[in-house]
Amino acid sequence: MKITDLALPLIAPSNVTQPVVDKLPQSDLPFYRKLGRTDLTVSCLGLGGGASISSEDTLHAFDQGINYFFYSSDLHHYIYSPMSNALRQLCSRRSSVREKVVLATVTYIKSPEVAIAALLDQFVELGIDYIDVLFWGWIGTNDGQALQDCLQLSPDLRGKNSVYQRTIERMFGTSERLKRMGAVRYIGASFHDINLAQQWLHSPLLDVVMVRHNVAHRSAQSQIFNQLDTQDSERPGIVTFKSTGSHSGALWDIPAGLPAGCWQPSVPDLYRYSLSQNCVDVCLTGLRIREEVDAAIAGIQKGKLTPAELDYLNLYGDLHRNRLKVQEVSPERLLYCA
C-alpha cells in the first residue's frame, strides 16, 4: 500500500478558474516577473497562510492573479491549515491549473535528517506531485552551521532525477509531472539574520532568498537588494516578508509626533515600498480576507513609489523606531494627504 492510499481524499478543482490577468493594467511595477534565476513566473504579491486566510479567499486570490502561495506544515500549522483545501485544489495531482501555480513550502526544522519527513508531510497533506520552492525557515543568528548542513542537501533535493525524487516516487507512485519537475524544483531560505543572508546570497546551493524588509527595517536594501544586478540572469530570487510590521508596532499606526494631515501609508502602500526596491521579486503578504486581496492588487496597479514618497516613508519608519524626532525633519520632506 502506498502512502497516497492513506491520504485524505483529493478535491477535484472543478470550481477553479484561470487567473484574471486581463484585469491588471501595465505599470512600472509589473505584476508578474521572473523569480531570479529560476524559470518560475511569479506574481509580485505572494500569499502566505500566516493570517489564517480561508480556502475560499485563497481561491479568490488566484482568480485575481496571485499565483505565489507560501505554506507551512510544521510551525504554526494550525494557522496555515485554513488555506490547505485551496492548495489541494490548485496543486494536487488532479489539478488542471498546477503549472500556473508557484507553491512555496517551508520547514522550520533545520536538520538534514528530517528533510524527507518534512517533504512527506507536505506531499501527504496537499496531495501534490512537486514543490516549486522548498524553504529552510527562520534562519537566525545561531543557525549558520545548521543552514550549511541543510544546503549541502540541495543537489539531492532539487531537480529531476534527484535522490529525494526517487524516494518520493517509491512512496507516492510516479507521475508525469513528478518525472518532469522533480519532487523539489528549487531551494530557498528564510533569513532572520541579514548577515547570514548576505553570506549565502550568491551560493549556487540557494535559489531563493527571503528576508525581512519594511520602512522601519531597511538593512536588506544595502546588504541584499543593492548587492544584486537587475540584468544578472543568475541572481537569486528575492522574497520579502514582514512588510507591514516591526518590533515597534504595526506600521500603519501613526508614529508619535507625526504632524496632522501627513500621509499615513496604507497596507498596500507598505507592500509597494518593498516592491519598489531593487531586485525584489515577491512581497509575501499575510492577507486575511478577499477584500484585502483586492486592495493589495489595486495598490500594485498604482505603480512604483516616487523618490519623494520613498524618502518620506524612510522618515516615517525612522519615526516608528524612534531613530529621530519629527522636529529634526525638514518640513519639505514631509508629504501630506491630498
Side-chain angles (χ1 to χ4, degrees):
M1 179 180 291
K2 295 187 179 69
I3 287 180
T4 44
D5 297 328
L6 303 176
L8 294 174
L10 298 179
I11 300 174
S14 57
N15 61 331
V16 176
T17 62
Q18 300 289 340
V20 187
V21 295
D22 58 352
K23 291 184 178 180
L24 305 175
Q26 294 296 315
S27 76
D28 62 353
L29 195 60
F31 196 80
Y32 296 106
R33 63 277 305 279
K34 188 171 177 285
L35 181 61
R37 62 169 167 261
T38 76
D39 65 353
L40 300 171
T41 297
V42 293
S43 55
C44 64
L45 294 172
L47 180 60
S52 293
I53 190 168
S54 70
S55 283
E56 292 77 12
D57 289 347
T58 299
L59 293 176
H60 173 79
F62 177 73
D63 287 341
Q64 299 309 306
I66 291 176
N67 77 336
Y68 184 97
F69 299 96
F70 183 84
Y71 190 73
S72 170
S73 63
D74 43 45
L75 184 66
H76 301 318
H77 177 248
Y78 71 97
I79 295 176
Y80 283 79
S81 60
M83 75 184 311
S84 62
N85 188 18
L87 295 183
R88 279 194 289 271
Q89 295 190 51
L90 293 171
C91 300
S92 75
R93 287 192 167 189
R94 301 178 188 178
S95 171
S96 62
V97 295
R98 176 63 183 94
E99 284 74 14
K100 299 186 179 298
V101 180
V102 176
L103 175 63
T105 65
V106 62
T107 178
Y108 295 95
I109 307 171
K110 296 178 279 289
S111 167
E113 288 76 18
V114 302
I116 189 62
L119 281 183
L120 290 177
D121 285 347
Q122 295 167 4
F123 272 70
V124 168
E125 181 177 15
L126 301 178
I128 52 180
D129 291 283
Y130 63 92
I131 294 165
D132 291 292
V133 186
L134 175 67
F135 280 93
W136 297 104
W138 207 304
I139 307 301
T141 303
N142 299 319
D143 293 324
Q145 185 60 54
L147 177 62
Q148 180 171 324
D149 294 342
C150 290
L151 288 180
Q152 297 309 310
L153 286 183
S154 292
D156 293 334
L157 269 170
R158 67 182 174 190
K160 297 183 290 185
N161 302 315
S162 69
V163 173
Y164 281 77
Q165 176 186 346
R166 293 193 291 272
T167 301
I168 292 293
E169 285 181 331
R170 286 197 300 270
M171 304 188 78
F172 288 85
T174 303
S175 72
E176 288 302 316
R177 284 174 175 164
L178 179 56
K179 288 192 294 184
R180 185 170 70 252
M181 302 297 189
V184 174
R185 299 182 68 187
Y186 299 103
I187 298 295
S190 173
F191 290 93
H192 287 250
D193 183 298
I194 200 69
N195 294 316
L196 276 176
Q198 186 179 40
Q199 177 183 329
W200 286 96
L201 185 61
H202 298 290
S203 170
L205 300 176
L206 186 61
D207 304 304
V208 185
V209 172
M210 186 158 73
V211 291
R212 178 178 67 168
H213 176 256
N214 58 51
V215 299
H217 294 87
R218 305 191 297 273
S219 56
Q221 292 172 206
S222 60
Q223 292 185 250
I224 303 298
F225 309 154
N226 293 338
Q227 301 300 314
L228 300 171
D229 181 357
T230 56
Q231 302 303 313
D232 181 5
S233 62
E234 294 303 312
R235 73 166 178 85
I238 299 294
V239 179
T240 62
F241 66 99
K242 294 290 186 183
S243 297
T244 63
S246 72
H247 297 312
S248 56
L251 291 170
W252 58 81
D253 293 337
I254 300 176
L258 190 71
C262 277
W263 176 31
Q264 182 182 356
S266 66
V267 168
D269 291 328
L270 296 171
Y271 296 148
R272 289 170 67 209
Y273 180 83
S274 282
L275 289 168
S276 295
Q277 307 298 325
N278 183 62
C279 288
V280 172
D281 300 309
V282 178
C283 176
L284 186 63
T285 71
L287 303 169
R288 299 170 297 176
I289 55 177
R290 66 180 59 198
E291 289 78 12
E292 293 179 355
V293 170
D294 295 341
I297 293 173
I300 296 304
Q301 294 172 9
K302 296 179 181 178
K304 287 185 177 180
L305 295 170
T306 67
E309 290 170 332
L310 289 169
D311 178 65
Y312 170 81
L313 289 181
N314 291 340
L315 294 174
Y316 181 95
D318 287 342
L319 289 172
H320 251 279
R321 295 196 70 184
N322 297 313
R323 285 176 169 164
L324 79 169
K325 304 293 184 183
V326 72
Q327 295 83 359
E328 301 168 352
V329 179
S330 300
E332 62 268 19
R333 295 178 68 189
L334 296 175
L335 299 181
Y336 289 84
C337 299

